[in-house]
Structures are given as structure tokens and as C-alpha cells.
Amino acid sequence: MVKDAYYRIKYEVKAKHILIRTPAIATPSDTLLAFKKINEIREKIKKGEDFEKIAVEFSEDPSAKDDPQTGRQGNKGNLGYFSAFRMVFPFEDAAYNTKVGEVSMPFKTRF
């Protein structure tokens, strides 16, 4: 783990994400429903649909979408560059272990 952290501190990755929420205390059926939803979204992207368009349409992260009330532009799922210790560990781990241009398998974080 120390070697991973050292490597990650030296190199930044650029990541995009699509957030699908579950209740704070999720039941197995809540988790399964979210897992099915994110897998369907993942398949759309793998088949060539535009990631940013899909993020705006399906992500439950409010920062992905434009806010017409404030005029704020949404990030369309783009989180930019980061290195170690900047994201929650499951996200960081997925970002560093997914090859450039590929789509990670779904994973769960506290968000």
C-alpha cells in the first residue's frame, strides 16, 4: 500500500464519473437496483455513447448538470486531474487501476 501511495503521489490521473445514489442505510435491494442502473449506463458508454451526454442525463451528482438559476456550467462528470489522497480511497483506487480510455467496473463509496 505504501508503494501504491508513493506512485500515486508522483502521478496524476484525470477521471470522469457518474454517480448513482443509494439511501444512507441501503438494503440489499437498494444496492442491487443501483448496481443494475450503473451497469446499464456503463454498457451505453462502452457501446460508444458520449460519456458527457450520458453523465448529464443519468448522473445524480448535481455538479454534472448546468444550473439555469445560477448560470453555473455543469462539469459533465469531469473531475479533472488529481493524485493520491485527494479522493475517497475506492474512487482513487478505481481511477489508478483503470486503463486510459476504459470504463471501470462500478464501485461503491460513501457518496
Side-chain angles (χ1 to χ4, degrees):
M1 192 171 215
V2 172
K3 286 181 186 179
D4 285 344
Y6 178 73
Y7 169 81
R8 291 174 183 181
I9 288 172
K10 292 173 45 177
Y11 299 99
E12 292 184 328
V13 293
K14 183 178 181 184
K16 299 177 182 180
H17 84 128
I18 294 175
L19 176 69
I20 300 301
R21 295 184 183 275
T22 59
I25 301 174
T27 66
S29 62
D30 293 330
T31 303
L32 182 60
L33 185 63
F35 185 75
K36 285 180 178 179
K37 185 174 182 179
I38 196 66
N39 269 317
E40 289 171 6
I41 294 167
R42 182 177 185 268
E43 286 305 312
K44 290 175 183 282
I45 295 164
K46 287 184 69 175
K47 289 179 180 174
E49 291 192 41
D50 182 68
F51 184 96
E52 292 181 352
K53 181 180 173 190
I54 296 293
V56 169
E57 185 175 347
F58 293 104
S59 185
E60 295 173 10
D61 177 358
S63 72
K65 297 168 180 58
D66 294 343
D67 185 345
Q69 292 181 357
T70 64
R72 181 191 57 80
Q73 293 284 316
N75 65 19
K76 298 180 172 104
N78 293 303
L79 298 179
Y81 288 93
F82 61 90
S83 63
F85 310 113
R86 298 288 181 189
M87 301 287 182
V88 292
F89 184 75
F91 188 89
E92 175 188 313
D93 203 44
Y96 276 95
N97 287 304
T98 302
K99 292 180 183 176
V100 173
E102 290 189 2
V103 181
S104 76
M105 291 299 296
F107 56 92
K108 188 175 182 178
T109 72
R110 68 179 186 226
F111 297 103

